[in-house]
Amino acid sequence: MPPTTSVSAPPTAASPLRAQPGRRCSWGLLALLIAVGGALRFWSLGHQGFWYDEADTAFLMRHSFGNMLGLLPHTESTPPLYYELAWGWTRLVSDHEAGLRALSALVGTLTVPVIALAARRLGGSVRAGLMAGALAAVNPLLIWYSQEARAYTLLVLFCALAWLAFAAVLERPGLRPLLAWALCAAAALCTHYYAVIVLIPQGLALLWIHRRPVTLVALGLVAAVGGALLPMLITQNGTGNAAWIHHRPLGLRVGQVLPQFLLGTGVPDPETLKWVAFALALLLLGGLVRVRPPRGLLVAGLTLAGFLLALLFTAVGFDSLITRNVLGLWPGAAIAVAVGLSTNLPDGALRTRALTPVRLVKAGGAAGLAGLCTLGVLAVAAVHATPALQRPDWRPLAAMLARRAPPPGEGRVIIIQRYRQSLPLALYLPRLGYGNHLEYHNVGQIDVIALSHAPRGNFCWWGAGCNLVASQLQPRYAIPGFRIIGVWRRRPFTVAVLVPHHPQVVLGATVAGALTETTLDHDALLLQRGTAPRSPPA
């Protein structure tokens, strides 16, 4: 009697239908994550004014395309791609706060599905994609920079796209996937120079895994783009615009990376929440015990290699290591965690009755993921509700100065204590710019502006006090012919208004000699021209 063999029943018409609800559910969950991420990013885009760095972007947007490109090597420290896209965007939308930031919000929203798809392909499971998408949707750091008119969110998107293309190369090495990776890598490099810490480990891994001529072609294309950017990099490095970074303690900067990757740039009671976030992260990492997904380990290793590469750049003298510059590492870190956790969390792990120690650890990883997502939403809401955690808002100050302007035809001298720039105030106050600091004619008013309270901590690049140093107004200013007629406050600024009996010439040396709380070496001395010529007296 011939042996019997089991033959699988042919698929019926109902079989595909049974698989579709789960597929629809996963797509529905991804759509929900995109909607949540988009809502958090577009929520109150114009609530905060432009701060110091964003003012540089807004200033460039008000020039012609050619003039903007000519100014970039001298005013910025990043490549031109973001500014080129933003220039076109502002012509379609607007160059005000909400309009200009909407580009970053849109890019940040698109990043959520890209990271999810990259994790899905690298992890081989829908669960990995949804976990990575959830982390990206509600992460406070990504949301903060999705509401900022700078290049960092675009860097994250292109690095996430590079991971997606990297996964495609691993699955099916060939010309098209490699060219797709090269295109994403080149775009990331044209957005931010620190993209190299993501691209170099990826490129070397591709070269090791696929030793083919076409891989060398893809790497050569990216290297050619980097070579084309080299003259701009050299020029920008010569301006010293980013030189302030290496004057800050390296240990402080390195120590900020992980807390800010988890919590963002600022939260109430940061020390307590930092340790809560660390505890949740440990639970999350605990869920990776006995991890054996080779691609998850590959992504984690390449991400760690990128951070070590950033430290190597610092060691050889190229020190611009701060959290926002290494933000391109965030997608790889999230993908590695999601892939590892999803691999070690089988179906029913949370519903099983036999809670063995290993299953408890894995369930703890899922709880850590849920806790971090919840903490992210709470942190975003707290920043929105706390002015001290937001960007400096110069708009109320500019509005107050505009209401108390001198008569038409008279000039006004403005002194900003412990601040050397005209931006962002010049964006909101017309005809404001630097004077020659020698003499000012027909001055009808002098306004002295001081920061009324110090920023939290001694080093930051966010928050209501950043780039500002607290100082005190003087009881009087010994400027001949001028007297204080009032002091007004618009948090966090305090303004003393001085007027003369009649418009007169003011010497820069006289102003410098009248300052006792500060010196003009640390202050901005600005001039606002009158709106119309003053009629001579009869």
Side-chain angles (χ1 to χ4, degrees), residues 50-93:
F50 286 130
W51 78 296
Y52 180 85
D53 283 5
E54 288 183 297
D56 285 333
T57 304
F59 171 76
L60 290 170
M61 297 303 105
R62 298 183 180 184
H63 290 75
S64 67
F65 189 76
N67 288 340
M68 179 198 70
L69 291 180
L71 289 169
L72 272 176
H74 309 286
T75 60
E76 294 291 347
S77 302
T78 49
L81 181 57
Y82 166 77
Y83 304 98
E84 293 168 349
L85 295 176
W87 190 91
W89 176 268
T90 56
R91 269 58 188 175
L92 294 174
V93 185

Short mmCIF file of all heavy atoms in Angstrom, two decimals, residues 50-93:
data_model
loop_
_atom_site.label_atom_id
_atom_site.label_comp_id
_atom_site.label_asym_id
_atom_site.label_seq_id
_atom_site.Cartn_x
_atom_site.Cartn_y
_atom_site.Cartn_z
N PHE A 50 9.66 83.61 15.52
CA PHE A 50 10.96 83.13 15.05
C PHE A 50 12.01 83.39 16.13
O PHE A 50 12.08 84.47 16.70
CB PHE A 50 11.38 83.86 13.77
CG PHE A 50 10.61 83.45 12.55
CD1 PHE A 50 10.04 84.41 11.74
CD2 PHE A 50 10.47 82.12 12.20
CE1 PHE A 50 9.34 84.05 10.60
CE2 PHE A 50 9.77 81.74 11.07
CZ PHE A 50 9.20 82.71 10.27
N TRP A 51 12.83 82.39 16.40
CA TRP A 51 13.93 82.61 17.31
C TRP A 51 15.21 82.83 16.50
O TRP A 51 15.18 82.95 15.27
CB TRP A 51 14.07 81.47 18.32
CG TRP A 51 14.72 80.21 17.83
CD1 TRP A 51 14.26 79.37 16.88
CD2 TRP A 51 15.95 79.66 18.30
NE1 TRP A 51 15.12 78.32 16.73
CE2 TRP A 51 16.17 78.48 17.58
CE3 TRP A 51 16.88 80.06 19.26
CZ2 TRP A 51 17.30 77.68 17.78
CZ3 TRP A 51 18.00 79.26 19.47
CH2 TRP A 51 18.20 78.09 18.74
N TYR A 52 16.33 82.91 17.18
CA TYR A 52 17.59 83.34 16.58
C TYR A 52 17.92 82.61 15.28
O TYR A 52 18.15 83.23 14.24
CB TYR A 52 18.70 83.14 17.62
CG TYR A 52 20.08 83.53 17.17
CD1 TYR A 52 20.51 84.84 17.26
CD2 TYR A 52 20.97 82.57 16.69
CE1 TYR A 52 21.79 85.19 16.87
CE2 TYR A 52 22.25 82.92 16.30
CZ TYR A 52 22.65 84.23 16.39
OH TYR A 52 23.92 84.57 15.99
N ASP A 53 17.97 81.27 15.30
CA ASP A 53 18.34 80.50 14.11
C ASP A 53 17.29 80.62 13.01
O ASP A 53 17.63 80.75 11.83
CB ASP A 53 18.55 79.04 14.48
CG ASP A 53 19.89 78.82 15.17
OD1 ASP A 53 20.60 79.81 15.42
OD2 ASP A 53 20.23 77.66 15.47
N GLU A 54 16.03 80.52 13.39
CA GLU A 54 14.96 80.62 12.39
C GLU A 54 14.95 81.99 11.71
O GLU A 54 14.57 82.10 10.55
CB GLU A 54 13.61 80.39 13.04
CG GLU A 54 13.33 78.96 13.46
CD GLU A 54 11.94 78.83 14.03
OE1 GLU A 54 11.69 79.47 15.07
OE2 GLU A 54 11.11 78.12 13.45
N ALA A 55 15.35 83.02 12.45
CA ALA A 55 15.38 84.36 11.86
C ALA A 55 16.35 84.42 10.69
O ALA A 55 16.11 85.13 9.70
CB ALA A 55 15.75 85.39 12.92
N ASP A 56 17.44 83.68 10.78
CA ASP A 56 18.37 83.62 9.65
C ASP A 56 17.70 83.02 8.42
O ASP A 56 17.89 83.48 7.29
CB ASP A 56 19.60 82.80 10.03
CG ASP A 56 20.54 83.56 10.95
OD1 ASP A 56 20.55 84.80 10.90
OD2 ASP A 56 21.26 82.91 11.73
N THR A 57 16.91 81.95 8.64
CA THR A 57 16.19 81.35 7.53
C THR A 57 15.19 82.33 6.94
O THR A 57 15.12 82.50 5.71
CB THR A 57 15.46 80.08 8.00
OG1 THR A 57 16.38 79.17 8.58
CG2 THR A 57 14.76 79.39 6.82
N ALA A 58 14.38 82.97 7.79
CA ALA A 58 13.38 83.92 7.30
C ALA A 58 14.03 85.08 6.57
O ALA A 58 13.50 85.59 5.57
CB ALA A 58 12.54 84.43 8.48
N PHE A 59 15.20 85.52 7.05
CA PHE A 59 15.93 86.61 6.39
C PHE A 59 16.34 86.19 4.98
O PHE A 59 16.20 86.96 4.02
CB PHE A 59 17.15 86.96 7.23
CG PHE A 59 18.11 87.90 6.58
CD1 PHE A 59 17.83 89.25 6.47
CD2 PHE A 59 19.32 87.43 6.06
CE1 PHE A 59 18.72 90.13 5.86
CE2 PHE A 59 20.21 88.29 5.45
CZ PHE A 59 19.92 89.64 5.35
N LEU A 60 16.84 84.97 4.83
CA LEU A 60 17.24 84.50 3.50
C LEU A 60 16.06 84.38 2.56
O LEU A 60 16.17 84.63 1.35
CB LEU A 60 17.94 83.14 3.63
CG LEU A 60 19.33 83.16 4.28
CD1 LEU A 60 19.79 81.75 4.58
CD2 LEU A 60 20.33 83.88 3.39
N MET A 61 14.90 84.00 3.08
CA MET A 61 13.72 83.81 2.24
C MET A 61 13.24 85.13 1.62
O MET A 61 12.50 85.12 0.64
CB MET A 61 12.58 83.19 3.03
CG MET A 61 12.87 81.78 3.56
SD MET A 61 13.29 80.59 2.27
CE MET A 61 15.08 80.43 2.52
N ARG A 62 13.66 86.25 2.17
CA ARG A 62 13.21 87.55 1.67
C ARG A 62 14.11 88.10 0.57
O ARG A 62 13.93 89.24 0.13
CB ARG A 62 13.10 88.54 2.83
CG ARG A 62 12.07 88.09 3.86
CD ARG A 62 11.87 89.08 5.00
NE ARG A 62 10.87 88.57 5.93
CZ ARG A 62 10.42 89.24 6.98
NH1 ARG A 62 10.88 90.46 7.24
NH2 ARG A 62 9.52 88.72 7.79
N HIS A 63 15.07 87.31 0.13
CA HIS A 63 15.95 87.69 -0.97
C HIS A 63 15.57 86.93 -2.23
O HIS A 63 14.83 85.94 -2.19
CB HIS A 63 17.40 87.40 -0.61
CG HIS A 63 17.96 88.28 0.46
ND1 HIS A 63 17.65 88.15 1.79
CD2 HIS A 63 18.82 89.35 0.39
CE1 HIS A 63 18.28 89.07 2.50
NE2 HIS A 63 19.00 89.81 1.66
N SER A 64 16.09 87.38 -3.34
CA SER A 64 15.91 86.63 -4.58
C SER A 64 16.67 85.31 -4.47
O SER A 64 17.55 85.14 -3.61
CB SER A 64 16.43 87.43 -5.77
OG SER A 64 17.84 87.58 -5.69
N PHE A 65 16.34 84.37 -5.35
CA PHE A 65 16.95 83.04 -5.28
C PHE A 65 18.47 83.13 -5.43
O PHE A 65 19.21 82.50 -4.67
CB PHE A 65 16.36 82.15 -6.37
CG PHE A 65 16.76 80.71 -6.25
CD1 PHE A 65 16.18 79.88 -5.30
CD2 PHE A 65 17.74 80.17 -7.08
CE1 PHE A 65 16.56 78.55 -5.18
CE2 PHE A 65 18.12 78.85 -6.97
CZ PHE A 65 17.53 78.03 -6.02
N GLY A 66 18.93 83.93 -6.38
CA GLY A 66 20.37 84.05 -6.59
C GLY A 66 21.07 84.71 -5.42
O GLY A 66 22.15 84.26 -4.99
N ASN A 67 20.49 85.78 -4.87
CA ASN A 67 21.10 86.43 -3.71
C ASN A 67 21.11 85.50 -2.50
O ASN A 67 22.07 85.51 -1.71
CB ASN A 67 20.34 87.72 -3.38
CG ASN A 67 20.60 88.81 -4.39
OD1 ASN A 67 21.58 88.78 -5.13
ND2 ASN A 67 19.72 89.80 -4.44
N MET A 68 20.05 84.71 -2.35
CA MET A 68 20.01 83.76 -1.23
C MET A 68 21.17 82.77 -1.32
O MET A 68 21.87 82.51 -0.33
CB MET A 68 18.68 83.01 -1.22
CG MET A 68 18.56 81.99 -0.10
SD MET A 68 17.27 80.77 -0.38
CE MET A 68 17.97 79.84 -1.75
N LEU A 69 21.38 82.22 -2.52
CA LEU A 69 22.48 81.26 -2.68
C LEU A 69 23.83 81.93 -2.44
O LEU A 69 24.76 81.30 -1.91
CB LEU A 69 22.43 80.67 -4.09
CG LEU A 69 21.25 79.73 -4.40
CD1 LEU A 69 21.35 79.21 -5.82
CD2 LEU A 69 21.20 78.57 -3.41
N GLY A 70 23.93 83.20 -2.81
CA GLY A 70 25.18 83.91 -2.56
C GLY A 70 25.43 84.18 -1.10
O GLY A 70 26.60 84.24 -0.66
N LEU A 71 24.37 84.35 -0.32
CA LEU A 71 24.52 84.63 1.11
C LEU A 71 24.76 83.37 1.93
O LEU A 71 25.33 83.44 3.03
CB LEU A 71 23.26 85.34 1.63
CG LEU A 71 23.05 86.79 1.19
CD1 LEU A 71 21.65 87.26 1.57
CD2 LEU A 71 24.11 87.69 1.82
N LEU A 72 24.30 82.22 1.44
CA LEU A 72 24.37 80.98 2.23
C LEU A 72 25.77 80.65 2.75
O LEU A 72 25.92 80.31 3.94
CB LEU A 72 23.85 79.80 1.39
CG LEU A 72 22.36 79.52 1.45
CD1 LEU A 72 22.00 78.40 0.49
CD2 LEU A 72 21.94 79.16 2.86
N PRO A 73 26.83 80.75 1.93
CA PRO A 73 28.15 80.38 2.46
C PRO A 73 28.62 81.27 3.60
O PRO A 73 29.50 80.88 4.36
CB PRO A 73 29.07 80.53 1.23
CG PRO A 73 28.16 80.43 0.06
CD PRO A 73 26.88 81.05 0.49
N HIS A 74 28.04 82.45 3.75
CA HIS A 74 28.51 83.40 4.76
C HIS A 74 27.59 83.50 5.98
O HIS A 74 28.00 84.02 7.01
CB HIS A 74 28.67 84.78 4.12
CG HIS A 74 29.47 84.77 2.86
ND1 HIS A 74 30.84 84.62 2.85
CD2 HIS A 74 29.09 84.86 1.55
CE1 HIS A 74 31.28 84.62 1.59
NE2 HIS A 74 30.24 84.77 0.80
N THR A 75 26.35 83.02 5.84
CA THR A 75 25.40 83.16 6.94
C THR A 75 25.00 81.84 7.58
O THR A 75 24.47 81.83 8.69
CB THR A 75 24.12 83.87 6.45
OG1 THR A 75 23.52 83.09 5.40
CG2 THR A 75 24.43 85.25 5.92
N GLU A 76 25.22 80.71 6.89
CA GLU A 76 24.78 79.42 7.39
C GLU A 76 25.93 78.45 7.49
O GLU A 76 27.03 78.70 6.98
CB GLU A 76 23.68 78.83 6.48
CG GLU A 76 22.38 79.63 6.49
CD GLU A 76 21.65 79.52 7.82
OE1 GLU A 76 22.00 78.66 8.64
OE2 GLU A 76 20.72 80.32 8.04
N SER A 77 25.68 77.31 8.14
CA SER A 77 26.70 76.27 8.30
C SER A 77 26.24 74.94 7.73
O SER A 77 26.80 73.89 8.08
CB SER A 77 27.04 76.11 9.79
OG SER A 77 27.50 77.32 10.34
N THR A 78 25.22 74.97 6.88
CA THR A 78 24.67 73.75 6.30
C THR A 78 24.56 73.90 4.78
O THR A 78 24.57 75.02 4.26
CB THR A 78 23.28 73.45 6.89
OG1 THR A 78 22.48 74.63 6.84
CG2 THR A 78 23.39 73.00 8.33
N PRO A 79 24.44 72.78 4.05
CA PRO A 79 24.31 72.83 2.59
C PRO A 79 23.01 73.50 2.15
O PRO A 79 22.14 73.83 2.97
CB PRO A 79 24.35 71.34 2.20
CG PRO A 79 24.97 70.64 3.35
CD PRO A 79 24.55 71.40 4.56
N PRO A 80 22.82 73.67 0.84
CA PRO A 80 21.74 74.55 0.36
C PRO A 80 20.38 73.90 0.13
O PRO A 80 19.42 74.64 -0.09
CB PRO A 80 22.30 75.06 -0.98
CG PRO A 80 23.16 73.95 -1.47
CD PRO A 80 23.76 73.32 -0.24
N LEU A 81 20.23 72.58 0.17
CA LEU A 81 19.00 71.97 -0.32
C LEU A 81 17.76 72.45 0.44
O LEU A 81 16.73 72.78 -0.17
CB LEU A 81 19.10 70.44 -0.25
CG LEU A 81 17.87 69.68 -0.77
CD1 LEU A 81 17.55 70.06 -2.21
CD2 LEU A 81 18.08 68.17 -0.65
N TYR A 82 17.83 72.48 1.77
CA TYR A 82 16.65 72.91 2.53
C TYR A 82 16.24 74.33 2.14
O TYR A 82 15.05 74.62 1.97
CB TYR A 82 16.91 72.83 4.03
CG TYR A 82 15.87 73.57 4.83
CD1 TYR A 82 14.61 73.02 5.05
CD2 TYR A 82 16.11 74.86 5.32
CE1 TYR A 82 13.63 73.72 5.75
CE2 TYR A 82 15.13 75.56 6.02
CZ TYR A 82 13.90 74.98 6.22
OH TYR A 82 12.93 75.68 6.89
N TYR A 83 17.20 75.21 2.02
CA TYR A 83 16.89 76.61 1.73
C TYR A 83 16.30 76.77 0.33
O TYR A 83 15.43 77.62 0.11
CB TYR A 83 18.15 77.46 1.90
CG TYR A 83 18.76 77.30 3.26
CD1 TYR A 83 19.83 76.43 3.46
CD2 TYR A 83 18.25 77.97 4.36
CE1 TYR A 83 20.37 76.25 4.71
CE2 TYR A 83 18.79 77.80 5.62
CZ TYR A 83 19.85 76.93 5.79
OH TYR A 83 20.39 76.74 7.04
N GLU A 84 16.77 75.97 -0.60
CA GLU A 84 16.20 76.02 -1.94
C GLU A 84 14.74 75.57 -1.92
O GLU A 84 13.88 76.19 -2.56
CB GLU A 84 17.03 75.14 -2.88
CG GLU A 84 18.44 75.66 -3.10
CD GLU A 84 19.34 74.66 -3.78
OE1 GLU A 84 18.95 73.47 -3.90
OE2 GLU A 84 20.45 75.03 -4.19
N LEU A 85 14.46 74.48 -1.21
CA LEU A 85 13.07 74.03 -1.09
C LEU A 85 12.22 75.05 -0.34
O LEU A 85 11.07 75.33 -0.73
CB LEU A 85 13.02 72.68 -0.37
CG LEU A 85 13.68 71.49 -1.09
CD1 LEU A 85 13.64 70.26 -0.21
CD2 LEU A 85 13.01 71.22 -2.43
N ALA A 86 12.77 75.61 0.74
CA ALA A 86 12.01 76.59 1.53
C ALA A 86 11.74 77.85 0.72
O ALA A 86 10.67 78.47 0.87
CB ALA A 86 12.77 76.92 2.81
N TRP A 87 12.68 78.27 -0.11
CA TRP A 87 12.49 79.46 -0.92
C TRP A 87 11.29 79.28 -1.85
O TRP A 87 10.43 80.15 -1.96
CB TRP A 87 13.74 79.76 -1.73
CG TRP A 87 13.73 81.09 -2.42
CD1 TRP A 87 14.19 82.28 -1.92
CD2 TRP A 87 13.22 81.38 -3.73
NE1 TRP A 87 14.00 83.28 -2.84
CE2 TRP A 87 13.41 82.76 -3.96
CE3 TRP A 87 12.63 80.60 -4.72
CZ2 TRP A 87 13.02 83.38 -5.15
CZ3 TRP A 87 12.24 81.21 -5.91
CH2 TRP A 87 12.43 82.58 -6.11
N GLY A 88 11.21 78.14 -2.52
CA GLY A 88 10.05 77.88 -3.37
C GLY A 88 8.77 77.72 -2.57
O GLY A 88 7.71 78.18 -2.98
N TRP A 89 8.88 77.10 -1.39
CA TRP A 89 7.71 76.90 -0.54
C TRP A 89 7.10 78.23 -0.10
O TRP A 89 5.89 78.41 -0.13
CB TRP A 89 8.11 76.06 0.67
CG TRP A 89 7.02 75.86 1.68
CD1 TRP A 89 6.76 76.64 2.78
CD2 TRP A 89 6.04 74.82 1.69
NE1 TRP A 89 5.70 76.14 3.48
CE2 TRP A 89 5.23 75.02 2.83
CE3 TRP A 89 5.78 73.73 0.86
CZ2 TRP A 89 4.17 74.17 3.15
CZ3 TRP A 89 4.73 72.88 1.18
CH2 TRP A 89 3.94 73.10 2.31
N THR A 90 7.94 79.16 0.30
CA THR A 90 7.42 80.45 0.77
C THR A 90 6.75 81.23 -0.34
O THR A 90 5.86 82.04 -0.08
CB THR A 90 8.55 81.30 1.39
OG1 THR A 90 9.60 81.47 0.44
CG2 THR A 90 9.09 80.63 2.65
N ARG A 91 7.16 81.00 -1.58
CA ARG A 91 6.49 81.67 -2.71
C ARG A 91 5.10 81.10 -2.94
O ARG A 91 4.22 81.80 -3.45
CB ARG A 91 7.32 81.55 -3.99
CG ARG A 91 8.31 82.69 -4.22
CD ARG A 91 9.28 82.83 -3.08
NE ARG A 91 10.12 84.03 -3.17
CZ ARG A 91 10.97 84.39 -2.24
NH1 ARG A 91 11.11 83.66 -1.14
NH2 ARG A 91 11.69 85.49 -2.36
N LEU A 92 4.89 79.85 -2.54
CA LEU A 92 3.57 79.23 -2.68
C LEU A 92 2.69 79.47 -1.45
O LEU A 92 1.47 79.57 -1.57
CB LEU A 92 3.73 77.73 -2.90
CG LEU A 92 4.40 77.29 -4.21
CD1 LEU A 92 4.61 75.78 -4.21
CD2 LEU A 92 3.57 77.72 -5.41
N VAL A 93 3.31 79.53 -0.26
CA VAL A 93 2.54 79.63 0.98
C VAL A 93 2.75 81.03 1.57
O VAL A 93 2.02 81.97 1.25
CB VAL A 93 2.95 78.53 1.98
CG1 VAL A 93 2.07 78.55 3.22
CG2 VAL A 93 2.85 77.16 1.30
#
